[in-house]
Amino acid sequence: MALRRLNVCVSFSWKMKYSTHSDPLGTKLKERQAQMMKKGLPVKKPIEGVKNVILVASGKGGVGKSTVAVNLALALSRHLPTQDVGLLDADIFGPSIPTMMNLSGNPSLTEKNLIKPLVNYNIKCMSMGFLVDNNAPVVWRGLMVMSAIEKLLRQVDWSPLDYLIIDMPPGTGDTQLSIAQNIPVAGAVVVTTPQEIALIDARKGALMFEKVGIPVLGLVNNMASYSCPNCGHHSHIFGATGAEKLGKEIGVDVLVDIPLDTSIMEAADGGYPIVISSASNNPLVQAYMSLAEKVLSRLSAIKN
């Protein structure tokens, strides 16, 4: 009861602070708060030499977001062989790109003291995993993480790059807001599974992008179904219609359904993602190629 009274007093004091003779109860408080927020937002500055930034995000970890980011980057590169594609691992605490892209070693510096991305499969890559020991945990506070993100964005020799895919950490915290509010972003892809517990957080992630003015290009329904390799029985382990319902609720499309398949996992863990290690007629490869096509189509529609 005492805590409730304290909350009421704080709320009332805040309203009184911003009240006026014409608005004695501060009923226009939300409008003033919105104006203050707009004044406080940083000016978005493009990454030098990068034309389009695409975020691959999820509200929850463990939904296969990094696997989608890697295969999307590779699929875009296959679709657009004359254009340059890059991949940034923004997950400071749990970088996955070095393993999935079969890259290791310390990046060198250019004459301008910029970090040179490591390259494999024709994709320029940068990750905190290249800069710290593979087994060393990154135990940093928020400000150090923000500083690292800024360096990975601004102090890497990305140029020239037509598309930069950023593999975001899960959640809607400081890292996500820092990236979303500091650089122009062409669009975001939200990865989820059909499971309700994942959909709850995917909804939050999509709404976060909406609040900061970033278009959500669509949802990726990952681990959508499973086919038994022995008997061929097809089942929806995590549910059948969750992603579709979420898409209708928040007004975006499900771009692709990607099945739960051990070959996707084995290819990623081995450093040979399925888009480049399997034949083009493989249904799993075709799913990622379809995702790339739809992402490009959505970006084109936004620009026009």
Side-chain angles (χ1 to χ4, degrees):
M1 180 63 72
L3 179 60
R4 183 179 178 184
R5 288 175 180 170
L6 176 61
N7 289 338
V8 171
C9 289
V10 170
S11 176
F12 184 72
S13 298
W14 176 262
K15 287 184 178 180
M16 288 302 293
K17 181 179 179 181
Y18 289 95
S19 65
T20 65
H21 288 294
S22 60
D23 186 21
L25 294 179
T27 54
K28 296 181 180 179
L29 176 61
K30 288 186 178 181
E31 182 180 333
R32 292 192 184 92
Q33 288 175 327
Q35 291 173 350
M36 292 169 66
M37 284 292 291
K38 287 181 180 178
K39 290 180 181 178
L41 291 177
V43 177
K44 292 186 179 183
K45 181 182 177 183
I47 304 171
E48 186 174 351
V50 177
K51 295 180 181 178
N52 299 282
V53 174
I54 301 171
L55 307 182
V56 178
S58 66
K60 180 175 290 295
V63 298
K65 168 186 54 61
S66 294
T67 303
V68 170
V70 166
N71 282 292
L72 172 59
L74 292 165
L76 286 172
S77 183
R78 286 185 62 172
H79 266 299
L80 307 167
T82 62
Q83 299 193 27
D84 297 301
V85 179
L87 181 60
L88 170 59
D89 189 348
D91 194 340
I92 301 299
F93 300 106
S96 302
I97 300 307
T99 297
M100 293 185 178
M101 291 297 287
N102 197 24
L103 287 168
S104 61
N106 295 319
S108 58
L109 298 177
T110 68
E111 293 180 357
K112 294 182 179 180
N113 212 35
L114 296 175
I115 303 171
K116 288 184 178 180
L118 301 187
V119 181
N120 198 13
Y121 311 128
N122 203 35
I123 306 292
K124 296 179 181 179
C125 301
M126 182 49 57
S127 169
M128 182 56 66
F130 301 148
L131 307 175
V132 299
D133 185 83
N134 189 43
N135 296 317
V138 177
V139 187
W140 288 353
R141 294 185 183 274
L143 289 176
M144 295 179 69
V145 174
M146 295 305 99
S147 177
I149 291 294
E150 182 70 13
K151 286 180 171 59
L152 292 175
L153 291 171
R154 308 285 185 194
Q155 296 183 23
V156 173
D157 187 24
W158 291 114
S159 182
L161 214 57
D162 296 287
Y163 295 93
L164 176 61
I165 308 300
I166 300 184
D167 178 19
M168 301 282 279
T172 56
D174 288 344
T175 301
Q176 289 82 354
L177 284 175
S178 180
I179 292 174
Q181 293 180 345
N182 282 281
I183 61 172
V185 175
V189 174
V190 177
V191 181
T192 186
T193 64
Q195 187 180 7
E196 180 60 26
I197 199 67
L199 294 167
I200 291 171
D201 290 331
R203 181 184 294 104
K204 294 175 183 177
L207 293 177
M208 181 203 73
F209 289 127
E210 181 182 321
K211 286 186 176 182
V212 295
I214 293 176
V216 176
L217 304 176
L219 302 174
V220 172
N221 188 24
N222 206 26
M223 309 182 201
S225 60
Y226 176 75
S227 293
C228 176
N230 296 318
C231 68
H233 176 70
H234 189 74
S235 61
H236 297 277
I237 298 176
F238 300 112
T241 61
E244 183 180 352
K245 289 179 179 177
L246 175 60
K248 290 179 179 178
E249 178 186 330
I250 62 177
V252 300
D253 293 331
V254 175
L255 300 175
V256 68
D257 293 327
I258 298 177
L260 178 63
D261 194 291
T262 56
S263 61
I264 296 177
M265 175 273 294
E266 291 169 351
D269 285 356
Y272 303 96
I274 198 159
V275 166
I276 53 94
S277 63
S278 297
S280 59
N281 61 352
N282 183 318
L284 300 174
V285 175
Q286 291 176 348
Y288 286 113
M289 296 299 287
S290 174
L291 172 61
E293 287 178 6
K294 291 178 180 178
V295 165
L296 292 172
S297 176
R298 296 294 194 280
L299 290 178
S300 178
I302 291 171
K303 291 178 180 179
N304 296 330

